[in-house]
């Protein structure tokens, strides 16, 4: 039987269990498709054929022996290049980490290896996860499989493009302000930011530690639930990890119905800045949810208006502290000054000057400034107060409704190069995703249709209270049920390998 890469991860896993395909065949099919089309998409920055095929062979052998395997064993996965993988390049798509091979595995990588998912490679991203278009990568941009002239979102555009181009059924991303969800929205894939602490951050190269969270990138809600169950759970290596059992997310998807649920439509996530087609598809989906039995009411979150500004003070402050470790001495690249004495200080300065790109430098300067003695209270202190107000808005909303719904990205995928000279326009991409990071609550994006203007996918976002990821999945599964199949209509579905 030939391998159909347009199937979901769970369907492929069922075929593996039934013995109609093997993991080696499936993994080889992924590499063949990557070889044929990734020259155009550029989703991957490194591949590990040998390692992935070795895992696939192990799974096939274990299955023949009748061994007890994880339900996703043998299903190939891609990983964003900011999660450390032992002995494999891990660069955060920055020149400063060129050549660094980590001596250990991130907890999520260890879990993938324990469950025997072949890790096919590492995916492209904005340098150190700073950006919304994957154009700030030292490897050059990734192209959106829906239209190769457009951005795949960011910072995790590589993982989203790999899943939307049917290179792999599963990928991991990281979301600090929207980097899983916004790429999901503009590539027609499902992207989840779990509750803060639900998935270990150990081995995720930190951008802003109080906001970062690893999560699934898939084409179906059920696949995302299965992957979150695999990577989630308490980890003593991450002091912010939640010490509680992983919720039954797959069950929540199976039992999905809206009986007794009240959904809140966020008043602030519409109007100016939101494409009319994004707003139309959002309203159409809400109407269908109402028909499916949900009670819907409008909720007011007045502080959302200031969330973006607060994020662009808190995030750079944390960035400036986290990135201090890249000094040309401990990891990766090391540059010496072009002239003058070679001292620890001049090597550090030259390495940072040559190793970091412009967007990273912009944020380091901003972060250092807002933390400086004279400005700390005015900027960083005020931003932390706004963060509390956003959390209070959400607490008030969740006292009345079970989940919030809002668009993910205010626009569909824009053209490559269109916003590279306009950081503010780039920052606006995350206006509707950032509140969830500031509050630590779970949020996910899933495709609900394509714009009548440009034919590109539009994402719909579901947010739930902290530690109620199961409620988010339950609502998302119903949304998926009332929406058309978007991922399957991606032009990449018709890309056929040249004979
Ligand atoms: N686009 C946002 C930023 O540039 C979000 C990044 C992220 O979530 N990693 O900061």
């Amino acid at each position: 039987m030939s391998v159909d890469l347009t199937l979901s991860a769970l369907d492929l896993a069922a075929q593996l269990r039934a013995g109609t395909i093997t993991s080696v065949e499936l993994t080889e099919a992924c590499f063949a498709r990557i070889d044929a089309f990734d020259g155009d998409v550029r989703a991957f920055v490194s591949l590990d054929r040998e390692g992935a095929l070795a895992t696939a062979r192990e799974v096939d052998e274990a299955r023949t022996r009748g061994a007890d395997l994880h339900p996703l064993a043998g299903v190939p996965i891609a990983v964003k290049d900011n999660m450390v993988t032992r002995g494999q390049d891990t660069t955060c798509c920055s020149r400063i980490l060129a050549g660094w091979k980590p001596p250990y595995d991130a907890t999520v990588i260890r879990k993938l290896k324990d469950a025997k998912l072949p890790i096919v490679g590492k995916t492209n991203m904005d340098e150190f996860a700073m950006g919304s278009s994957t154009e700030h990568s030292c490897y050059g941009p990734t192209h959106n499989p829906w239209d190769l002239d457009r951005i795949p979102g960011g910072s995790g555009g590589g993982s989203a493009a790999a899943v939307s181009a049917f290179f792999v059924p599963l990928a991991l991303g990281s979301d600090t302000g929207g980097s899983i969800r916004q790429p999901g929205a503009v590539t027609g894939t499902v992207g989840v930011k779990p509750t803060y602490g639900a998935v270990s951050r150990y081995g995720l190269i930190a951008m802003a530690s109080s906001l970062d969270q690893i999560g699934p990138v898939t084409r179906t809600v059920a696949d995302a639930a299965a992957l979150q169950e695999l990577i989630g759970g308490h980890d003593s290596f991450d002091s912010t990890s939640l010490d509680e059992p992983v919720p039954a997310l797959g069950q929540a998807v199976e039992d999905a119905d809206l009986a007794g649920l009240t959904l809140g439509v966020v008043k602030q996530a519409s109007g100016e800045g939101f494409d009319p087609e994004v707003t139309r598809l959002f309203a159409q989906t809400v109407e269908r949810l109402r028909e499916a039995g949900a009670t819907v009411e409008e909720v007011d979150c007045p502080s959302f208006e200031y969330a973006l500004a607060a994020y662009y003070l808190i995030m750079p402050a944390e960035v400036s502290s986290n990135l201090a470790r890249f000094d040309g001495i401990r990891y990766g690249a090391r540059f010496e000054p072009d002239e003058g004495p070679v001292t620890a200080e001049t090597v550090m300065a030259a390495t940072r000057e040559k190793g970091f790109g412009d967007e990273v430098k912009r944020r380091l300067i901003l972060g250092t400034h807002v933390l400086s003695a004279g400005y700390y209270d005015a900027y960083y202190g005020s931003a932390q107060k706004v963060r509390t107000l956003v959390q209070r808005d959400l607490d008030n909303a969740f006292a009345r409704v079970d989940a919030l719904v809002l668009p993910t990205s205010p626009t569909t995928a824009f053209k490559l190069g269109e916003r590279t000279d306009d950081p503010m326009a780039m920052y606006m991409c995350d206006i509707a995703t950032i509140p969830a990071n500031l509050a630590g609550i779970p949020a996910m994006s899933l495709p609900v249709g394509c714009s009548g203007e440009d034919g590109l996918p539009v994402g719909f976002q579901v947010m739930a209270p902290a530690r109620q990821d199961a409620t988010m999945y339950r609502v998302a599964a119903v949304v998926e049920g009332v929406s058309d199949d978007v991922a399957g209509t991606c032009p990449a579905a018709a890309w056929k390998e040249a004979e």
Side-chain angles (χ1 to χ4, degrees):
M1 184 169 165
S2 69
V3 174
D4 180 358
L5 287 178
T6 64
L7 293 178
S8 71
L10 288 173
D11 285 346
L12 289 166
Q15 292 192 344
L16 289 171
R17 261 194 307 279
T20 51
I21 57 169
T22 66
S23 178
V24 168
E25 285 166 351
L26 175 55
T27 308
E28 278 175 347
C30 291
F31 282 117
R33 192 166 165 87
I34 292 166
D35 289 341
F37 302 111
D38 202 35
D40 295 325
V41 177
R42 303 196 161 274
F44 286 92
V45 296
S46 59
L47 294 172
D48 180 18
R49 284 173 211 270
E50 229 174 89
L53 284 165
T55 307
R57 270 193 298 274
E58 253 182 69
V59 173
D60 290 341
E61 276 159 26
R63 206 176 308 270
T64 326
R65 268 189 280 115
D68 203 11
L69 287 164
H70 186 278
L72 289 175
V75 179
I77 188 165
V79 176
K80 189 175 178 180
D81 204 30
N82 59 352
M83 295 171 216
V84 304
T85 39
R86 198 167 83 199
Q88 302 287 327
D89 287 339
T90 300
T91 68
C92 283
C93 297
S94 176
R95 274 189 302 275
I96 211 162
L97 276 175
W100 184 56
K101 299 216 190 285
Y104 69 105
D105 278 327
T107 295
V108 290
I109 301 290
R110 187 180 50 71
K111 288 190 178 224
L112 296 181
K113 288 184 176 173
D114 288 350
K116 298 202 191 314
L117 278 74
I119 302 174
V120 305
K122 309 293 286 289
T123 57
N124 201 13
M125 55 186 278
D126 286 293
E127 184 177 6
F128 283 104
M130 300 176 199
S132 299
S133 66
T134 316
E135 291 169 295
H136 301 305
S137 159
C138 72
Y139 300 103
T142 294
H143 301 254
N144 191 325
W146 286 79
D147 174 348
L148 296 171
D149 292 332
R150 293 185 188 256
I151 58 116
S155 60
S159 283
V163 170
S164 119
F166 307 97
F167 292 155
V168 278
L170 301 171
L172 290 184
S174 70
D175 192 308
T176 304
S179 283
I180 294 177
R181 290 164 286 157
Q182 181 259 7
V186 301
T187 59
T189 52
V190 175
V192 186
K193 184 204 91 71
T195 292
Y196 184 77
V199 177
S200 170
R201 288 182 297 111
Y202 178 71
L204 169 68
I205 298 177
M207 175 181 167
S209 314
S210 78
L211 303 160
D212 297 342
Q213 193 55 202
I214 293 174
V217 176
T218 62
R219 284 188 304 268
T220 70
V221 174
D223 281 0
L227 184 53
Q228 186 172 331
E229 282 190 18
L230 196 178
I231 59 172
H234 181 248
D235 180 14
S236 57
F237 289 160
D238 172 359
S239 61
T240 59
S241 161
L242 289 171
D243 194 358
E244 52 187 49
V246 183
L249 305 172
Q251 199 58 46
V253 171
E254 260 174 49
D255 301 344
D257 75 84
L258 294 174
L261 282 192
T262 306
L263 304 180
V265 171
V266 180
K267 189 172 140 193
Q268 280 70 18
S270 60
E272 210 197 321
F274 286 82
D275 267 5
E277 276 297 287
V278 169
T279 305
R280 180 185 68 79
L281 282 161
F282 175 75
Q284 171 185 303
T285 308
V286 170
E287 203 36 55
R288 290 181 184 175
L289 291 173
R290 215 191 292 266
E291 284 161 17
T295 308
V296 182
E297 51 180 84
E298 191 178 72
V299 297
D300 196 13
C301 295
S303 305
F304 271 34
E305 206 184 313
Y306 310 106
L308 187 76
Y311 171 81
Y312 274 94
L313 294 169
I314 294 168
M315 173 273 297
E318 295 188 24
V319 159
S320 73
S321 157
N322 277 326
L323 269 58
R325 61 172 64 96
F326 302 106
D327 53 11
I329 291 160
R330 285 176 286 189
Y331 318 90
R334 172 197 178 99
F335 296 97
E336 293 192 353
D338 294 332
E339 52 192 40
V342 178
T343 65
E345 256 176 52
T346 59
V347 166
M348 236 182 260
T351 301
R352 288 174 177 158
E353 162 58 26
K354 297 197 171 88
F356 288 136
D358 288 350
E359 183 60 25
V360 171
K361 285 180 187 156
R362 187 178 292 128
R363 296 191 192 199
L364 290 173
I365 293 167
L366 185 60
T368 314
H369 179 72
V370 304
L371 288 177
S372 58
Y375 295 101
Y376 185 93
D377 290 335
Y379 293 127
Y380 185 73
S382 310
Q384 291 291 14
K385 287 181 188 151
V386 172
R387 185 174 192 170
T388 304
L389 292 177
V390 170
Q391 285 161 347
R392 277 195 203 145
D393 272 3
L394 286 163
D395 285 347
N396 291 338
F398 288 129
R400 289 173 42 207
V401 302
D402 300 288
L404 292 174
V405 292
L406 61 170
T408 311
S409 163
T411 68
T412 56
F414 46 89
K415 289 254 165 70
L416 284 158
E418 201 176 295
R419 298 195 186 180
T420 32
D421 294 330
D422 188 351
M424 280 309 289
M426 197 70 95
Y427 299 167
M428 291 305 285
C429 295
D430 294 313
I431 186 133
T433 49
I434 279 168
N437 302 80
L438 290 176
I441 62 170
M444 73 192 278
S445 176
L446 70 160
V448 289
C450 290
S451 155
E453 281 289 310
D454 52 24
L456 296 168
V458 168
F460 183 93
Q461 210 183 171
V462 182
M463 294 181 178
R467 298 149 73 205
Q468 293 191 29
D469 301 48
T471 306
M472 169 183 75
Y473 276 100
R474 180 176 159 196
V475 175
V478 178
V479 174
E480 185 177 53
V482 300
S483 306
D484 307 330
D485 169 28
V486 174
T489 65
C490 177
W495 294 348
K496 292 274 178 275
E497 217 179 317
E499 296 294 311

